[in-house]
Amino acid sequence: MKQSRIGAWIALAIGTIYFLVPLIGTLEFSLRMRRGEYSLDAYRIVLGDPGFQASFLYSCILALATIAVGVLLVVPTAYWVRLRLPRLRPIIEFITLLPLVIPAIVLVFGYVQMFNTSSLLPLLGSEHGTDLLLTFGYVTLALPYMYRAVDTGLQAIDVRTLTEAAESLGAGRARILFRVILPNVRSAVLSGAFLTFAIVIGEFTFASLLNRPAFGPYLQLVGANRAYEPAALAIIAFVVTWACMGLLQLFGRGRRGASAATR
């Protein structure tokens, strides 16, 4: 028993060192823009850069749009498959895994061929159309994570019993989905949403090849031309990611507390 505990602590220590040492090194390097002393000059330059503000805001807007489309697509699909079409579940799971198998560059070139200006649906003929196409591309990239998060949340509740109880009270399908099922899988939806947000913020291939001013191409541009600012951007991206994880824990804990109080 003691040996197993010692082994667990050793593994935890090794994992912590492996995770923290590069992070500390990046943070320390980002503070050394002034020769011979530590300063926040790199962060001040990055945060004051109009390119950073515009690209980050653009990616945040696309992330919110991607989350909205993903939730509207995945939650009804996962709910209906689990309730009425359980035999199709392996097929749906296989389809949702395809974005992990097909490279993003293949997907974006397929979109370019399908939606160019000479096609029947020329989304690439305008900025708004390209933004819409980029949002759909992000929904595709985030599909494996969103679907599995929602499906896991549905697995934790009795979907059939909740549906039958709501139907006995006269609720329709839409009301059941948004007033009964969705609140019970809120933590799972939030988990998929924050994963989607992280994917959109850091994605490079789609935004670069579609020539959109997203945060991923901005990171690459800064990393190719500057020294200390990329390290500052890496720390900022790390803080944003962990802030999302903290929000997930906060909202999830609130939901569990509400459920426990109800019981």
Side-chain angles (χ1 to χ4, degrees):
M1 183 70 70
K2 291 182 179 180
Q3 291 180 350
S4 64
R5 289 182 178 178
I6 293 174
W9 280 108
I10 292 174
L12 179 61
I14 294 174
T16 303
I17 293 172
Y18 181 81
F19 176 76
L20 289 180
V21 168
L23 181 63
I24 294 172
T26 303
L27 176 62
E28 195 268 344
F29 181 77
S30 69
L31 298 174
R32 300 189 62 175
M33 192 168 185
R34 292 185 189 177
R35 183 170 298 180
E37 62 177 307
Y38 291 122
S39 70
L40 297 174
D41 289 351
Y43 294 90
R44 188 159 43 247
I45 292 173
V46 166
L47 294 176
D49 185 4
F52 168 82
Q53 300 169 9
S55 62
F56 190 76
L57 178 61
Y58 177 83
S59 290
C60 286
I61 293 174
L62 279 191
L64 295 176
T66 302
I67 290 169
V69 174
V71 170
L72 292 175
L73 175 66
V74 169
V75 174
T77 301
Y79 164 70
W80 194 251
V81 167
R82 184 166 288 276
L83 181 66
R84 300 296 184 190
L85 303 171
R87 293 183 179 180
L88 292 181
R89 188 179 174 192
I91 299 176
I92 300 298
E93 289 183 348
F94 174 77
I95 293 174
T96 59
L97 282 175
L98 289 178
L100 298 178
V101 179
I102 303 174
I105 192 169
V106 175
L107 292 174
V108 71
F109 271 115
Y111 288 160
V112 170
Q113 292 297 322
M114 290 179 61
F115 302 106
N116 56 37
T117 53
S118 61
S119 65
L120 295 177
L121 189 61
L123 292 179
L124 294 176
S126 64
E127 290 188 359
H128 294 298
T130 307
D131 292 338
L132 183 62
L133 182 59
L134 184 58
T135 301
F136 291 155
Y138 286 158
V139 171
T140 302
L141 291 181
L143 190 59
Y145 310 99
M146 178 66 79
Y147 180 82
R148 264 147 194 80
V150 173
D151 187 63
T152 301
L154 290 173
Q155 189 176 1
I157 63 176
D158 192 343
V159 173
R160 187 173 299 277
T161 300
L162 288 173
T163 301
E164 291 175 353
E167 287 177 341
S168 67
L169 295 174
R173 290 294 183 186
R175 189 177 184 86
I176 293 172
L177 184 61
F178 291 103
R179 298 296 298 273
V180 178
I181 300 300
L182 189 58
N184 280 280
V185 295
R186 186 179 69 175
S187 296
V189 171
L190 285 173
S191 178
F194 288 130
L195 288 172
T196 301
F197 183 85
I199 291 170
V200 173
I201 289 297
E203 201 281 328
F204 169 77
T205 305
F206 271 80
S208 177
L209 293 178
L210 292 178
N211 195 27
R212 302 310 298 147
F215 191 58
Y218 174 80
L219 287 174
Q220 190 276 335
L221 179 64
V222 172
N225 295 282
R226 300 181 186 179
Y228 299 98
E229 289 86 342
L233 280 172
I235 297 299
I236 292 172
F238 172 82
V239 171
V240 170
T241 302
W242 277 88
C244 290
M245 296 298 295
L247 290 173
L248 172 61
Q249 294 294 324
L250 178 64
F251 283 107
R253 186 180 306 167
R255 177 61 192 167
R256 289 191 295 269
S259 300
T262 302
R263 288 196 296 268

